Amino acid sequence: MGIIIDGKTLAKEKREELKKKVQELKDKEEIVPGLAIIRVGNDPASEIYVRNKLKACQEVGIHAVEQHFDENASEQEIIERIEFFNQEKSIDGILVQSPLPKNLNEKKIVSFILGSKDVDGFGINNLGHLLANQEQVLAATPLGILHLLEKYEIPIASKNVLVIGRSQIVGRPLAIMFLNRDATVTIAHSKTKNLKELTLQADILVSAVGRPHFITADMVKEGAVCIDVGINRENGHVIGDTDFDTIKEKASFITPVPGGVGPMTVATLLENVYELASTRKKEK
Ligand code: NDP
């Protein structure tokens, strides 16, 4: 049986480490890291994610504010608020909780976040640096996955990595991060043919699709590392994309859902806020 990657515990350790570092920054530089979260509309999952982020910020001593707009808010109103936070000295990171209501242009709105405050790493500036292998702020979910692999001493260089999903927040940046760490990377998406042929070659298999039972045990190579990013709801339970119970018998390492990638994402976001606040110190 494979080793179950305990994201929940690792995330807790990371938050404890961060709490100390945040306290040090306060004591030595009188800087309190600040995060602004913009949420639009009433998507129930977003509400939970934002609540978790605010709670985690409070736990480690990061000052966090939520700006909530109702679903009829205009792009202009939201952009004006972003511009306010861009100027606000107590705010080091700004994020717009995805998804936005369909009538709003998410990419346009996010583009107004200053590159130096783009704590999610979704902006063109940070993505360009990632592509050029000059990484700056990295998106929290992919970076959290790298932290998990590092903690379990799972090597990346020269491995065959398959990333399923090419969204701007998970699949795409993650694939480039693996490439920057010398993996041989394949990206699969909804137009990919013969997916099983690809999954069976993967030493590290990442599923970021959002479909329950998408990866079954017959698709996984013996001894592979299986990273499940998916969050799906089935019969009142949260499950990932992979058939955990059968795949754990075959994989060398596997992330559970919940308790794998999810908690690490939040801890990594907080770390990004802290890192940006530390830059504030150098600029003084
Ligand atoms: P998107 O819906 O933006 O992307 C899904 C990707 O899956 C797309 O690239 C799509 O391809 C691909 N896909 C869909 N069907 C198939 C198929 N049959 N074969 C291969 N690829 C397919 O989702 P996100 O990237 O935002 O999120 C993915 C999942 O991860 C969701 O369940 C989400 O809830 C979860 N998530 C979890 C986080 C965490 O912290 N644990 C953080 C962020 C997301 P195409 O591009 O061609 O449409």
Side-chain angles (χ1 to χ4, degrees), residues 49 141 164-167 169-171 188-191 195 208-211 214 229-232 241 261-262 265:
Y49 294 148
T141 301
I164 314 177
R166 56 174 165 177
S167 73
I169 65 171
V170 189
H189 46 77
S190 66
K191 308 288 186 292
L195 183 66
V209 174
R211 276 173 59 175
F214 186 69
V229 186
I231 298 176
N232 310 290
D241 292 349
V261 174
T265 295

Side-chain angles (χ1 to χ4, degrees), residues 22 29-30 44 57 60 68 79 100 105 116 120 124 129 133 219 221 249 276 283:
V22 166
E29 309 288 339
E30 294 178 9
C57 281
V60 305
H68 180 235
I79 290 168
L100 291 182
N105 182 338
S116 57
D120 261 338
I124 296 298
H129 278 99
N133 199 6
M219 296 169 76
K221 184 169 101 166
E249 303 301 328
L276 290 174
E283 281 167 1

